[in-house]
Amino acid sequence: MTDVITTPATANDADETVGDCRHERHDFAPVVAALHAFERATGRRGLPLSGWEVDTLGVAPPVALARRLGAIRAQPHGYTYGRDFGEARARAAACLSQGMRVAGAAIGADQVAILQNSSQGLLLALTALRERGVRRVVIAAPVYYAAVAACQHLGLVVALVPAADFVTGALDVARLATAARRPCSALLLTNPAYSVGVEYGAAQLRALFAALPASVPVLLDETRLGLHWTDDAPWYPFDYPPQTIILRSPSKIFLLNGMKMSVLVASTGCIVAVERAGDALLGSVPANSEAVALAYIAAWERWLGELRDRRVGPMRAWRRDLVASQRANLAAWLPSIASWGARVAPVDSGPYALVALPQPAPLLSSVAYARDRGILLMTADYFFHQHPAWQGFRLNTLVGCPISSEEQML
């Protein structure tokens, strides 16, 4: 496994009171390799207990979106750049402005960047922050490993602040605010809490922003925002401070991995820096990329139109069916989970739930479970979420309860 190193550290970092990610594993490749070895040796398909596969019967993207993406013509000789996606930027801005404001104003096209995926969004947003003088990123755990890896490769010091509560993922607002007051700092927050299944609502975010110095940039990684279990809306209404950068990825929400799209919302100056960095670090994109982006934006527009018209059309029906499937899968799991003496996070959003086991318990090994039982298991250390009294793993609520000996895995 590869260690995440929070370098470059200086003597001034020795008194950090926040979590240390210096020895946390973040390379999941050995687990995937072990799972493939199990499948070759046994002929049995692995169980994606906490993985990213979506192959359960009844789970599918919205029909109209899948058809529109499937009809987009490949253009092998054509290329373009994200800064030229004028129509996509304008429509995304108008769409997101239905519920979102930045410093009290509607979002403009010059405040939007269209990107290919969320990892690009994290890399480019952090690059833009570094150009603005940020040298240290305070990260609320749990968090997606790519954010920590991007900071490492950009030479940014990482200060991890654990959640105030392991099971619920509740924000430790006081510690986050204290850590963010250090000079040249920015704050990164994943919402919904990564792999926990809990969404930070508007009230929690208002409390966090109120505690932070107004000058601190905040990067909100909302890649998986949009599948709240009780609210049909694709996002919460909010007025963000001007220093906020918001990353959203409809391809994640709509369960499509082959043709992706992400949107970054930030100040005009930040978007210019993001696009300049994108040209240098990522280069051009396929000529049909704007058509892909417009397909996702159209799905968002239909979703918001159904809410505006107060009707349950194909988009809201799709969301409700998907959530109902996730609820049923989680309910099927609960008896086994209870028999392990474990707790489950109070899921209200997204495709994952945190299963927490009290210490001491048999140490969970992702590689061993993949190699010996064909179970794809992502433990809490992969999303920088550790606790001296608990260990845990993420449960994919898109996957139903396993059978036979796999129920006794713990």
Side-chain angles (χ1 to χ4, degrees), residues 33-400:
L35 186 68
H36 290 164
F38 173 87
E39 294 175 357
R40 289 193 300 270
T42 65
R44 291 167 50 196
R45 188 172 190 182
L47 174 69
L49 182 63
S50 62
W52 48 86
E53 291 84 350
V54 180
D55 53 11
T56 306
L57 290 177
V59 175
V63 173
L65 173 60
R67 287 176 177 169
R68 179 166 175 170
L69 288 171
I72 294 174
R73 182 174 61 87
Q75 300 178 48
H77 298 292
Y79 66 93
T80 185
Y81 293 88
R83 63 176 181 272
D84 297 325
F85 294 175
E87 182 181 358
R89 292 168 61 148
R91 285 178 56 182
C95 189
L96 291 166
S97 292
Q98 297 182 55
M100 290 178 60
R101 290 290 185 273
V102 176
I107 298 166
D110 58 349
Q111 294 171 276
V112 174
I114 305 295
L115 303 169
Q116 306 304 292
N117 56 61
S118 57
S119 293
Q120 288 184 8
L122 288 169
L123 173 65
L124 297 178
L126 290 166
T127 300
L129 288 172
R130 189 181 66 169
E131 289 184 0
R132 293 167 59 187
V134 168
R135 294 295 177 263
R136 179 174 172 276
V137 181
V138 178
I139 301 181
V143 62
Y144 182 42
Y145 82 89
V148 177
C151 289
Q152 175 189 4
H153 287 292
L154 290 170
L156 298 168
V157 173
V158 171
L160 278 171
V161 176
D165 183 89
F166 180 81
V167 177
T168 67
L171 294 173
D172 194 332
V173 172
R175 293 181 76 185
L176 287 168
T178 298
R181 290 190 184 101
R182 292 276 295 270
C184 303
S185 292
L187 174 66
L188 190 152
L189 173 67
T190 306
N191 186 30
Y194 185 69
S195 293
V196 174
V198 175
E199 185 174 314
Y200 304 126
Q204 296 175 79
L205 292 179
R206 275 193 291 270
L208 174 63
F209 281 116
L212 294 171
S215 60
V216 173
V218 177
L219 173 54
L220 277 177
D221 178 2
E222 295 187 334
T223 297
R224 291 196 178 276
L225 184 75
L227 286 180
H228 199 282
W229 282 26
T230 58
D231 191 342
D232 274 0
W235 47 74
Y236 55 92
F238 202 79
D239 188 355
Y240 297 93
Q243 295 275 31
T244 313
I245 303 172
I246 305 110
L247 175 65
R248 296 197 177 154
S249 296
S251 51
K252 291 282 190 187
I253 300 307
F254 294 134
L255 313 177
L256 288 158
N257 291 320
M259 301 175 78
K260 295 184 177 183
M261 177 262 197
S262 293
V263 175
L264 198 70
V265 177
S267 67
T268 301
C270 183
I271 293 299
V272 170
V274 162
E275 292 177 339
R276 184 171 59 244
D279 288 352
L281 299 176
L282 305 176
S284 62
V285 297
N288 61 5
S289 295
E290 186 170 26
V292 171
L294 288 169
Y296 283 112
I297 296 167
W300 265 349
E301 291 169 340
R302 286 191 292 269
W303 192 339
L304 291 169
E306 291 178 15
L307 288 168
R308 184 179 59 250
D309 297 341
R310 298 183 180 181
R311 64 184 179 89
V312 179
M315 294 302 300
R316 292 176 74 187
W318 168 82
R319 190 212 68 86
R320 292 183 178 187
D321 287 346
L322 179 60
V323 168
S325 174
Q326 292 177 280
R327 286 183 181 276
N329 289 339
L330 183 58
W333 269 103
L334 288 178
S336 292
I337 292 172
S339 72
W340 305 333
R343 291 176 61 189
V344 179
V347 183
D348 62 16
S349 181
Y352 300 120
L354 175 71
V355 178
L357 295 107
Q359 302 274 27
L363 185 64
L364 300 176
S365 169
S366 298
V367 174
Y369 281 116
R371 180 189 64 235
D372 302 335
R373 305 192 187 194
I375 295 172
L376 187 62
L377 183 70
M378 180 172 281
T379 53
D381 55 330
Y382 287 105
F383 41 104
F384 306 98
H385 192 43
Q386 294 87 17
H387 192 279
W390 295 93
Q391 64 175 318
F393 65 91
R394 78 178 189 183
L395 178 68
N396 188 347
T397 57
L398 296 171
V399 177

